[in-house]
Amino acid sequence: MGRGILLTSNLPQLQNLIKRDPTAYKEEFLQQWNHYNSIRQIFQANPSEHAQQFRELVTFIAQVTPCYPKETAEFPSHLSTLLLENYATLSPDTRKALVQNLVMLRNKNVITSIELLKTLFPLLPRTTSSALRSSIRKTILSDIRTANIHSTNHKLNRAVQAMLFGMVERGMDGQVLGDKGKLRASTSQAPSPTNGHDAMWAIILTKELWRKGIWTDVKPVSIVALGCFHPVVKVQSASIHFFLGSDEDKEDSDDEEEETVDVRSLHHRREINKKTRSGDKKLQKKLTSAKKKQQNGKSDTNPNFPALQLLNDPQTFAEKLYDILNHYEKRFSLDHKILIMQLLSRVMGSHKLCVLGFYTYIVKYLTHHQLRVPAILVSLAQSVHELTPPDALTPIIQKLAHEFVHPGVASEVIAAGLNAIREVCRRQPWAMEEDMLGDLVEYRKSKDKAVIAAARGLLQLYRDVNPGMLKRRERGKEASMGMASGTQPLPFGHSADAAVDIEGLSLLEDHFNKLREEDEAVDMDEAGDAGWENWDVESDSSDSDEESEGWIDVDDADDQLVISDSEDEGEKKDGENAKAEEKNSEDAATRVSTLATTKILTPADFSLLNDLRIQAATQAVEAGGGPKAKRKLAALEGNKKAMQGAQEDAFISENDILGPRKKAKADYAERMASIAKGREGRDKFGSHKGKKNKDTPSSSTNREKTRNKPIMMILSSGAVRGKKKASLREKQQKLRAHIEKSKKSRR
């Protein structure tokens, strides 16, 4: 009786004893199990009653569940049911305890990952505690990562992806409200399926699993692609940012805009408030975090190329994006519309798609006073490719020229317009008209550096792709020579002839042959001495004995063997051989390599081929090849950088549109950094005047400094005013003191 009372009141001790010997303490456990069932029924009716006792019993049973699997078979389902059905009425401590015990059961392999995740996924959008929400999120991610650490767990992945897909699909039939004006307040509503919290968490978890490299196939891309068409703007934005490559996730589902840290305001507030050590630490922490965000944050996003390439049916995806952009334009803010434009343009550019309505839609935004017009121009340029019809782009070029390139706007606007036209024409040169090109190229005579660079870039572009559209004096030497030789650009819709050879592949073939000859030479040298061993020893083979007995008879029955001693025939053959050698020497420069038909070229082979071409071009430049050889070398080096940069160079940034600009005014942080840099290598305070000019280093006295001051600076000083207001007695005392001091100095 004493032991039972002791164990009943001390659950941790009973837990320790059960883990050591489950069989001996089974009756005590059953007693606590019955107590748990009775408390659970009372707790379901009134969650505020016996809450502390219920949590202690749940923790105790979760710890010893592996010892009694049959008796506690229904225990995990009890916890899941309580969390899912009575979550709103549970206290925060009880919710946390139930979640922790469920995770403990998963760690002890009492329940599977699928059973745990089926309970945790619905809790994410319902919980209001940031700590619990963060704990659930980390648990989900770590559990999926652990399941896929050695090999891909297809069963778990399919189940989780089906749950996430259902969370996104559940709210797809809602009404698109937008994010303009009062509609922004909808983001602060309570979590519910109607405002997209389920879908938001599904997108956040999918993006996190993709970023960590746990999921890299088509299914997570399909989940996020579905989120791009969700009626809730917040879900749309998070899904679009996934494809754009920017990380806009927050630790919770409230996904609010991050407050920008005002460094100057922080310093000003620190000077006003009370000076404490804790305040200094907080200030330094905020400044450090602001510096990290400034270093890591980028104005231009890097597209998520693997996700863009894994899109299922990109043409339909792009058309749906355009439909949303066009149909709900008045409900979306400008920032959100630009997000959709960026994604649509990158999908069109990477998959070579044609959504012609997009060019009609974007025309109204092509004005120099439009907010965020550089981002809009970037989206326009990225949507163009060589398969885009020139007829759809010609009105775009005309609108850009009329709005951005004229004397009535600033030089920065002209430079942006010329750069945008150049980027569009670089992808589709036939969109430009000849008369307009002549007018735009004349801006190379401007006085502004950015405008000159933009106009020269456009001129150089058409010198390379279609010099016939330029005036004769503007074509340049190389372009004129090319036109004289009869080379003409292919019209739109015409493809080049089938590729016969890869440029420079003969260099790679010669390189491999040279390596092969060096290897054979080494093998021959090593085997040379071994080849002469036992050269005079007779063979033991009977066949060799028979062959060495005498001459071999040749059967000439069919007169197949012709022997001639004629000198004329020999001379004839020598002449034919000489002609063949001469012909081979003529075709050596234009020979077609057979390496591509005998070997599968790897990326390393292409990298080596590019290096060999750069070496050959460098030798040509050193041998006096002229400007053409230099341009070829520069182009090859640019191609090498492009190969190293992968696909990122296929897209442009806002800096490419704005072009080189004058140095912008420095902000507070830059000015302070410049001041700190100027103070390097010098003392903190004071002047070196007195320390350098005196025998014993010391600074000048205040009296010495006063003597050198201008009279107007000391008229209002206290000493001068004191002399004027001094009484006769004070003047006598000063005079007497001066006389006595002078007498002492004479002695």
Side-chain angles (χ1 to χ4, degrees), residues 684-716:
K684 189 174 182 181
F685 303 109
S687 170
H688 291 273
K689 182 178 179 181
K691 298 179 182 178
K692 289 183 178 179
N693 299 334
K694 290 186 177 182
D695 297 335
T696 57
S698 64
S699 61
S700 60
T701 63
N702 291 337
R703 186 171 230 179
E704 293 173 348
K705 294 174 183 176
T706 306
R707 290 174 183 173
N708 296 327
K709 286 185 178 181
I711 187 63
M712 298 303 295
M713 291 183 63
I714 61 174
L715 284 178
S716 300

PDB file of all heavy atoms in Angstrom, residues 684-716:
ATOM      1  N   LYS A 684      43.497  60.130 -32.116  1.00  0.00           N
ATOM      2  CA  LYS A 684      42.076  60.366 -31.933  1.00  0.00           C
ATOM      3  C   LYS A 684      41.762  61.840 -31.738  1.00  0.00           C
ATOM      4  O   LYS A 684      40.841  62.381 -32.331  1.00  0.00           O
ATOM      5  CB  LYS A 684      41.580  59.555 -30.742  1.00  0.00           C
ATOM      6  CG  LYS A 684      40.064  59.548 -30.595  1.00  0.00           C
ATOM      7  CD  LYS A 684      39.645  58.600 -29.484  1.00  0.00           C
ATOM      8  CE  LYS A 684      38.116  58.562 -29.377  1.00  0.00           C
ATOM      9  NZ  LYS A 684      37.671  57.676 -28.285  1.00  0.00           N
ATOM     10  N   PHE A 685      42.522  62.539 -30.871  1.00  0.00           N
ATOM     11  CA  PHE A 685      42.234  63.934 -30.556  1.00  0.00           C
ATOM     12  C   PHE A 685      43.503  64.777 -30.705  1.00  0.00           C
ATOM     13  O   PHE A 685      44.620  64.262 -30.761  1.00  0.00           O
ATOM     14  CB  PHE A 685      41.704  64.096 -29.118  1.00  0.00           C
ATOM     15  CG  PHE A 685      40.483  63.300 -28.823  1.00  0.00           C
ATOM     16  CD1 PHE A 685      40.537  62.207 -27.997  1.00  0.00           C
ATOM     17  CD2 PHE A 685      39.267  63.652 -29.390  1.00  0.00           C
ATOM     18  CE1 PHE A 685      39.414  61.464 -27.728  1.00  0.00           C
ATOM     19  CE2 PHE A 685      38.143  62.929 -29.130  1.00  0.00           C
ATOM     20  CZ  PHE A 685      38.214  61.825 -28.296  1.00  0.00           C
ATOM     21  N   GLY A 686      43.320  66.127 -30.725  1.00  0.00           N
ATOM     22  CA  GLY A 686      44.414  67.070 -30.568  1.00  0.00           C
ATOM     23  C   GLY A 686      45.205  67.359 -31.819  1.00  0.00           C
ATOM     24  O   GLY A 686      45.047  66.721 -32.858  1.00  0.00           O
ATOM     25  N   SER A 687      46.062  68.338 -31.692  1.00  0.00           N
ATOM     26  CA  SER A 687      46.926  68.770 -32.780  1.00  0.00           C
ATOM     27  C   SER A 687      48.362  68.399 -32.463  1.00  0.00           C
ATOM     28  O   SER A 687      48.754  68.278 -31.299  1.00  0.00           O
ATOM     29  CB  SER A 687      46.795  70.289 -32.971  1.00  0.00           C
ATOM     30  OG  SER A 687      47.769  70.750 -33.850  1.00  0.00           O
ATOM     31  N   HIS A 688      49.182  68.257 -33.502  1.00  0.00           N
ATOM     32  CA  HIS A 688      50.596  67.904 -33.320  1.00  0.00           C
ATOM     33  C   HIS A 688      51.493  69.137 -33.330  1.00  0.00           C
ATOM     34  O   HIS A 688      52.709  69.002 -33.351  1.00  0.00           O
ATOM     35  CB  HIS A 688      51.030  66.969 -34.452  1.00  0.00           C
ATOM     36  CG  HIS A 688      50.400  65.621 -34.390  1.00  0.00           C
ATOM     37  ND1 HIS A 688      50.922  64.578 -33.665  1.00  0.00           N
ATOM     38  CD2 HIS A 688      49.253  65.134 -34.947  1.00  0.00           C
ATOM     39  CE1 HIS A 688      50.156  63.511 -33.786  1.00  0.00           C
ATOM     40  NE2 HIS A 688      49.126  63.823 -34.571  1.00  0.00           N
ATOM     41  N   LYS A 689      50.879  70.320 -33.315  1.00  0.00           N
ATOM     42  CA  LYS A 689      51.669  71.549 -33.463  1.00  0.00           C
ATOM     43  C   LYS A 689      52.663  71.737 -32.323  1.00  0.00           C
ATOM     44  O   LYS A 689      53.859  71.893 -32.535  1.00  0.00           O
ATOM     45  CB  LYS A 689      50.721  72.746 -33.527  1.00  0.00           C
ATOM     46  CG  LYS A 689      51.426  74.078 -33.734  1.00  0.00           C
ATOM     47  CD  LYS A 689      50.407  75.203 -33.841  1.00  0.00           C
ATOM     48  CE  LYS A 689      51.108  76.538 -34.010  1.00  0.00           C
ATOM     49  NZ  LYS A 689      50.141  77.661 -34.083  1.00  0.00           N
ATOM     50  N   GLY A 690      52.155  71.708 -31.071  1.00  0.00           N
ATOM     51  CA  GLY A 690      53.048  71.902 -29.947  1.00  0.00           C
ATOM     52  C   GLY A 690      53.981  70.738 -29.716  1.00  0.00           C
ATOM     53  O   GLY A 690      55.105  70.896 -29.247  1.00  0.00           O
ATOM     54  N   LYS A 691      53.590  69.535 -30.069  1.00  0.00           N
ATOM     55  CA  LYS A 691      54.421  68.358 -29.829  1.00  0.00           C
ATOM     56  C   LYS A 691      55.588  68.277 -30.803  1.00  0.00           C
ATOM     57  O   LYS A 691      56.620  67.704 -30.497  1.00  0.00           O
ATOM     58  CB  LYS A 691      53.560  67.113 -29.947  1.00  0.00           C
ATOM     59  CG  LYS A 691      52.439  67.070 -28.923  1.00  0.00           C
ATOM     60  CD  LYS A 691      51.584  65.833 -29.088  1.00  0.00           C
ATOM     61  CE  LYS A 691      50.439  65.831 -28.081  1.00  0.00           C
ATOM     62  NZ  LYS A 691      49.555  64.668 -28.236  1.00  0.00           N
ATOM     63  N   LYS A 692      55.416  68.859 -31.958  1.00  0.00           N
ATOM     64  CA  LYS A 692      56.479  68.771 -32.956  1.00  0.00           C
ATOM     65  C   LYS A 692      57.478  69.920 -32.851  1.00  0.00           C
ATOM     66  O   LYS A 692      58.652  69.756 -33.143  1.00  0.00           O
ATOM     67  CB  LYS A 692      55.859  68.771 -34.362  1.00  0.00           C
ATOM     68  CG  LYS A 692      55.126  67.483 -34.712  1.00  0.00           C
ATOM     69  CD  LYS A 692      54.607  67.546 -36.134  1.00  0.00           C
ATOM     70  CE  LYS A 692      53.905  66.243 -36.503  1.00  0.00           C
ATOM     71  NZ  LYS A 692      53.357  66.286 -37.884  1.00  0.00           N
ATOM     72  N   ASN A 693      56.993  71.123 -32.457  1.00  0.00           N
ATOM     73  CA  ASN A 693      57.837  72.320 -32.501  1.00  0.00           C
ATOM     74  C   ASN A 693      58.563  72.606 -31.194  1.00  0.00           C
ATOM     75  O   ASN A 693      59.287  73.595 -31.102  1.00  0.00           O
ATOM     76  CB  ASN A 693      56.987  73.547 -32.867  1.00  0.00           C
ATOM     77  CG  ASN A 693      56.340  73.386 -34.238  1.00  0.00           C
ATOM     78  OD1 ASN A 693      56.864  72.657 -35.073  1.00  0.00           O
ATOM     79  ND2 ASN A 693      55.235  74.082 -34.454  1.00  0.00           N
ATOM     80  N   LYS A 694      58.380  71.815 -30.152  1.00  0.00           N
ATOM     81  CA  LYS A 694      59.023  72.048 -28.862  1.00  0.00           C
ATOM     82  C   LYS A 694      60.062  70.984 -28.583  1.00  0.00           C
ATOM     83  O   LYS A 694      59.992  69.872 -29.105  1.00  0.00           O
ATOM     84  CB  LYS A 694      57.982  72.062 -27.740  1.00  0.00           C
ATOM     85  CG  LYS A 694      57.070  73.290 -27.785  1.00  0.00           C
ATOM     86  CD  LYS A 694      56.172  73.315 -26.573  1.00  0.00           C
ATOM     87  CE  LYS A 694      55.318  74.564 -26.557  1.00  0.00           C
ATOM     88  NZ  LYS A 694      54.471  74.636 -25.358  1.00  0.00           N
ATOM     89  N   ASP A 695      61.020  71.363 -27.740  1.00  0.00           N
ATOM     90  CA  ASP A 695      62.047  70.397 -27.353  1.00  0.00           C
ATOM     91  C   ASP A 695      61.450  69.270 -26.541  1.00  0.00           C
ATOM     92  O   ASP A 695      61.735  68.093 -26.773  1.00  0.00           O
ATOM     93  CB  ASP A 695      63.143  71.107 -26.542  1.00  0.00           C
ATOM     94  CG  ASP A 695      63.867  72.163 -27.379  1.00  0.00           C
ATOM     95  OD1 ASP A 695      63.861  71.998 -28.632  1.00  0.00           O
ATOM     96  OD2 ASP A 695      64.395  73.120 -26.809  1.00  0.00           O
ATOM     97  N   THR A 696      60.667  69.654 -25.537  1.00  0.00           N
ATOM     98  CA  THR A 696      59.944  68.648 -24.763  1.00  0.00           C
ATOM     99  C   THR A 696      58.521  68.585 -25.289  1.00  0.00           C
ATOM    100  O   THR A 696      57.827  69.600 -25.293  1.00  0.00           O
ATOM    101  CB  THR A 696      59.934  69.027 -23.267  1.00  0.00           C
ATOM    102  OG1 THR A 696      59.351  70.318 -23.143  1.00  0.00           O
ATOM    103  CG2 THR A 696      61.342  69.020 -22.709  1.00  0.00           C
ATOM    104  N   PRO A 697      58.075  67.446 -25.760  1.00  0.00           N
ATOM    105  CA  PRO A 697      56.746  67.372 -26.397  1.00  0.00           C
ATOM    106  C   PRO A 697      55.651  67.767 -25.434  1.00  0.00           C
ATOM    107  O   PRO A 697      55.536  67.224 -24.337  1.00  0.00           O
ATOM    108  CB  PRO A 697      56.630  65.893 -26.787  1.00  0.00           C
ATOM    109  CG  PRO A 697      58.030  65.398 -26.814  1.00  0.00           C
ATOM    110  CD  PRO A 697      58.784  66.173 -25.781  1.00  0.00           C
ATOM    111  N   SER A 698      54.900  68.759 -25.799  1.00  0.00           N
ATOM    112  CA  SER A 698      53.728  69.174 -25.036  1.00  0.00           C
ATOM    113  C   SER A 698      52.879  70.052 -25.939  1.00  0.00           C
ATOM    114  O   SER A 698      53.372  70.631 -26.900  1.00  0.00           O
ATOM    115  CB  SER A 698      54.118  69.949 -23.774  1.00  0.00           C
ATOM    116  OG  SER A 698      54.761  71.153 -24.152  1.00  0.00           O
ATOM    117  N   SER A 699      51.639  70.186 -25.569  1.00  0.00           N
ATOM    118  CA  SER A 699      50.753  71.035 -26.346  1.00  0.00           C
ATOM    119  C   SER A 699      50.863  72.473 -25.868  1.00  0.00           C
ATOM    120  O   SER A 699      51.405  72.754 -24.798  1.00  0.00           O
ATOM    121  CB  SER A 699      49.316  70.541 -26.232  1.00  0.00           C
ATOM    122  OG  SER A 699      48.903  70.593 -24.885  1.00  0.00           O
ATOM    123  N   SER A 700      50.381  73.424 -26.641  1.00  0.00           N
ATOM    124  CA  SER A 700      50.415  74.833 -26.260  1.00  0.00           C
ATOM    125  C   SER A 700      49.410  75.099 -25.145  1.00  0.00           C
ATOM    126  O   SER A 700      48.386  74.430 -25.035  1.00  0.00           O
ATOM    127  CB  SER A 700      50.112  75.713 -27.473  1.00  0.00           C
ATOM    128  OG  SER A 700      48.834  75.392 -27.980  1.00  0.00           O
ATOM    129  N   THR A 701      49.717  76.139 -24.311  1.00  0.00           N
ATOM    130  CA  THR A 701      48.836  76.486 -23.205  1.00  0.00           C
ATOM    131  C   THR A 701      47.685  77.337 -23.704  1.00  0.00           C
ATOM    132  O   THR A 701      47.706  77.880 -24.815  1.00  0.00           O
ATOM    133  CB  THR A 701      49.618  77.247 -22.126  1.00  0.00           C
ATOM    134  OG1 THR A 701      50.092  78.474 -22.704  1.00  0.00           O
ATOM    135  CG2 THR A 701      50.793  76.423 -21.626  1.00  0.00           C
ATOM    136  N   ASN A 702      46.686  77.470 -22.840  1.00  0.00           N
ATOM    137  CA  ASN A 702      45.533  78.297 -23.198  1.00  0.00           C
ATOM    138  C   ASN A 702      45.935  79.768 -23.347  1.00  0.00           C
ATOM    139  O   ASN A 702      45.362  80.506 -24.153  1.00  0.00           O
ATOM    140  CB  ASN A 702      44.441  78.161 -22.139  1.00  0.00           C
ATOM    141  CG  ASN A 702      43.804  76.781 -22.159  1.00  0.00           C
ATOM    142  OD1 ASN A 702      43.851  76.113 -23.176  1.00  0.00           O
ATOM    143  ND2 ASN A 702      43.215  76.391 -21.050  1.00  0.00           N
ATOM    144  N   ARG A 703      46.931  80.207 -22.556  1.00  0.00           N
ATOM    145  CA  ARG A 703      47.375  81.600 -22.636  1.00  0.00           C
ATOM    146  C   ARG A 703      48.038  81.871 -23.985  1.00  0.00           C
ATOM    147  O   ARG A 703      47.825  82.908 -24.610  1.00  0.00           O
ATOM    148  CB  ARG A 703      48.354  81.887 -21.493  1.00  0.00           C
ATOM    149  CG  ARG A 703      48.755  83.322 -21.397  1.00  0.00           C
ATOM    150  CD  ARG A 703      49.540  83.568 -20.126  1.00  0.00           C
ATOM    151  NE  ARG A 703      49.015  84.711 -19.400  1.00  0.00           N
ATOM    152  CZ  ARG A 703      49.493  85.131 -18.245  1.00  0.00           C
ATOM    153  NH1 ARG A 703      50.444  84.434 -17.665  1.00  0.00           N
ATOM    154  NH2 ARG A 703      48.991  86.181 -17.648  1.00  0.00           N
ATOM    155  N   GLU A 704      48.834  80.905 -24.442  1.00  0.00           N
ATOM    156  CA  GLU A 704      49.462  81.047 -25.759  1.00  0.00           C
ATOM    157  C   GLU A 704      48.423  81.065 -26.881  1.00  0.00           C
ATOM    158  O   GLU A 704      48.563  81.820 -27.857  1.00  0.00           O
ATOM    159  CB  GLU A 704      50.450  79.900 -25.991  1.00  0.00           C
ATOM    160  CG  GLU A 704      51.652  79.962 -25.069  1.00  0.00           C
ATOM    161  CD  GLU A 704      52.524  78.735 -25.190  1.00  0.00           C
ATOM    162  OE1 GLU A 704      52.062  77.747 -25.826  1.00  0.00           O
ATOM    163  OE2 GLU A 704      53.637  78.723 -24.664  1.00  0.00           O
ATOM    164  N   LYS A 705      47.412  80.271 -26.725  1.00  0.00           N
ATOM    165  CA  LYS A 705      46.369  80.256 -27.744  1.00  0.00           C
ATOM    166  C   LYS A 705      45.583  81.564 -27.741  1.00  0.00           C
ATOM    167  O   LYS A 705      45.157  82.058 -28.788  1.00  0.00           O
ATOM    168  CB  LYS A 705      45.422  79.089 -27.495  1.00  0.00           C
ATOM    169  CG  LYS A 705      46.080  77.735 -27.688  1.00  0.00           C
ATOM    170  CD  LYS A 705      45.140  76.611 -27.289  1.00  0.00           C
ATOM    171  CE  LYS A 705      45.828  75.262 -27.422  1.00  0.00           C
ATOM    172  NZ  LYS A 705      44.973  74.147 -26.940  1.00  0.00           N
ATOM    173  N   THR A 706      45.407  82.167 -26.525  1.00  0.00           N
ATOM    174  CA  THR A 706      44.651  83.409 -26.435  1.00  0.00           C
ATOM    175  C   THR A 706      45.390  84.559 -27.122  1.00  0.00           C
ATOM    176  O   THR A 706      44.776  85.442 -27.725  1.00  0.00           O
ATOM    177  CB  THR A 706      44.390  83.750 -24.963  1.00  0.00           C
ATOM    178  OG1 THR A 706      43.757  82.639 -24.327  1.00  0.00           O
ATOM    179  CG2 THR A 706      43.489  84.974 -24.829  1.00  0.00           C
ATOM    180  N   ARG A 707      46.714  84.593 -27.044  1.00  0.00           N
ATOM    181  CA  ARG A 707      47.492  85.665 -27.652  1.00  0.00           C
ATOM    182  C   ARG A 707      47.335  85.700 -29.176  1.00  0.00           C
ATOM    183  O   ARG A 707      47.424  86.765 -29.783  1.00  0.00           O
ATOM    184  CB  ARG A 707      48.971  85.488 -27.305  1.00  0.00           C
ATOM    185  CG  ARG A 707      49.294  85.755 -25.852  1.00  0.00           C
ATOM    186  CD  ARG A 707      50.730  85.422 -25.564  1.00  0.00           C
ATOM    187  NE  ARG A 707      51.054  85.611 -24.153  1.00  0.00           N
ATOM    188  CZ  ARG A 707      52.202  85.264 -23.601  1.00  0.00           C
ATOM    189  NH1 ARG A 707      53.136  84.689 -24.353  1.00  0.00           N
ATOM    190  NH2 ARG A 707      52.416  85.477 -22.321  1.00  0.00           N
ATOM    191  N   ASN A 708      47.132  84.561 -29.762  1.00  0.00           N
ATOM    192  CA  ASN A 708      47.047  84.485 -31.223  1.00  0.00           C
ATOM    193  C   ASN A 708      45.629  84.662 -31.754  1.00  0.00           C
ATOM    194  O   ASN A 708      45.421  84.644 -32.973  1.00  0.00           O
ATOM    195  CB  ASN A 708      47.583  83.142 -31.709  1.00  0.00           C
ATOM    196  CG  ASN A 708      49.058  82.984 -31.387  1.00  0.00           C
ATOM    197  OD1 ASN A 708      49.811  83.965 -31.383  1.00  0.00           O
ATOM    198  ND2 ASN A 708      49.467  81.755 -31.107  1.00  0.00           N
ATOM    199  N   LYS A 709      44.654  84.825 -30.855  1.00  0.00           N
ATOM    200  CA  LYS A 709      43.283  84.984 -31.311  1.00  0.00           C
ATOM    201  C   LYS A 709      43.042  86.404 -31.815  1.00  0.00           C
ATOM    202  O   LYS A 709      43.594  87.361 -31.266  1.00  0.00           O
ATOM    203  CB  LYS A 709      42.305  84.678 -30.173  1.00  0.00           C
ATOM    204  CG  LYS A 709      42.176  83.205 -29.857  1.00  0.00           C
ATOM    205  CD  LYS A 709      41.115  82.989 -28.807  1.00  0.00           C
ATOM    206  CE  LYS A 709      40.949  81.510 -28.513  1.00  0.00           C
ATOM    207  NZ  LYS A 709      39.892  81.271 -27.495  1.00  0.00           N
ATOM    208  N   PRO A 710      42.188  86.569 -32.830  1.00  0.00           N
ATOM    209  CA  PRO A 710      41.823  87.931 -33.272  1.00  0.00           C
ATOM    210  C   PRO A 710      41.075  88.680 -32.176  1.00  0.00           C
ATOM    211  O   PRO A 710      40.405  88.082 -31.340  1.00  0.00           O
ATOM    212  CB  PRO A 710      40.930  87.681 -34.493  1.00  0.00           C
ATOM    213  CG  PRO A 710      41.265  86.298 -34.940  1.00  0.00           C
ATOM    214  CD  PRO A 710      41.636  85.543 -33.715  1.00  0.00           C
ATOM    215  N   ILE A 711      41.198  90.028 -32.211  1.00  0.00           N
ATOM    216  CA  ILE A 711      40.615  90.846 -31.152  1.00  0.00           C
ATOM    217  C   ILE A 711      39.100  90.725 -31.090  1.00  0.00           C
ATOM    218  O   ILE A 711      38.492  90.765 -30.021  1.00  0.00           O
ATOM    219  CB  ILE A 711      41.047  92.325 -31.336  1.00  0.00           C
ATOM    220  CG1 ILE A 711      40.580  93.174 -30.139  1.00  0.00           C
ATOM    221  CG2 ILE A 711      40.502  92.864 -32.641  1.00  0.00           C
ATOM    222  CD1 ILE A 711      41.197  92.776 -28.834  1.00  0.00           C
ATOM    223  N   MET A 712      38.493  90.539 -32.271  1.00  0.00           N
ATOM    224  CA  MET A 712      37.037  90.466 -32.297  1.00  0.00           C
ATOM    225  C   MET A 712      36.513  89.187 -31.644  1.00  0.00           C
ATOM    226  O   MET A 712      35.348  89.121 -31.272  1.00  0.00           O
ATOM    227  CB  MET A 712      36.527  90.548 -33.736  1.00  0.00           C
ATOM    228  CG  MET A 712      36.872  91.858 -34.431  1.00  0.00           C
ATOM    229  SD  MET A 712      36.257  93.298 -33.546  1.00  0.00           S
ATOM    230  CE  MET A 712      34.510  93.041 -33.689  1.00  0.00           C
ATOM    231  N   MET A 713      37.352  88.179 -31.521  1.00  0.00           N
ATOM    232  CA  MET A 713      36.918  86.924 -30.906  1.00  0.00           C
ATOM    233  C   MET A 713      36.940  86.996 -29.386  1.00  0.00           C
ATOM    234  O   MET A 713      36.254  86.224 -28.728  1.00  0.00           O
ATOM    235  CB  MET A 713      37.796  85.765 -31.385  1.00  0.00           C
ATOM    236  CG  MET A 713      37.612  85.402 -32.841  1.00  0.00           C
ATOM    237  SD  MET A 713      38.604  83.982 -33.297  1.00  0.00           S
ATOM    238  CE  MET A 713      37.888  82.712 -32.271  1.00  0.00           C
ATOM    239  N   ILE A 714      37.755  87.939 -28.827  1.00  0.00           N
ATOM    240  CA  ILE A 714      37.898  87.961 -27.375  1.00  0.00           C
ATOM    241  C   ILE A 714      37.238  89.175 -26.730  1.00  0.00           C
ATOM    242  O   ILE A 714      37.283  89.336 -25.508  1.00  0.00           O
ATOM    243  CB  ILE A 714      39.387  87.935 -26.978  1.00  0.00           C
ATOM    244  CG1 ILE A 714      40.106  89.163 -27.534  1.00  0.00           C
ATOM    245  CG2 ILE A 714      40.040  86.649 -27.438  1.00  0.00           C
ATOM    246  CD1 ILE A 714      41.544  89.275 -27.067  1.00  0.00           C
ATOM    247  N   LEU A 715      36.596  90.048 -27.545  1.00  0.00           N
ATOM    248  CA  LEU A 715      35.936  91.216 -26.960  1.00  0.00           C
ATOM    249  C   LEU A 715      34.789  90.825 -26.056  1.00  0.00           C
ATOM    250  O   LEU A 715      34.493  91.504 -25.065  1.00  0.00           O
ATOM    251  CB  LEU A 715      35.431  92.147 -28.078  1.00  0.00           C
ATOM    252  CG  LEU A 715      36.505  92.989 -28.782  1.00  0.00           C
ATOM    253  CD1 LEU A 715      35.884  93.828 -29.888  1.00  0.00           C
ATOM    254  CD2 LEU A 715      37.220  93.902 -27.782  1.00  0.00           C
ATOM    255  N   SER A 716      34.125  89.720 -26.387  1.00  0.00           N
ATOM    256  CA  SER A 716      32.973  89.299 -25.589  1.00  0.00           C
ATOM    257  C   SER A 716      33.336  88.247 -24.561  1.00  0.00           C
ATOM    258  O   SER A 716      32.446  87.664 -23.930  1.00  0.00           O
ATOM    259  CB  SER A 716      31.881  88.750 -26.517  1.00  0.00           C
ATOM    260  OG  SER A 716      31.469  89.739 -27.435  1.00  0.00           O
TER     261      SER A 716
END
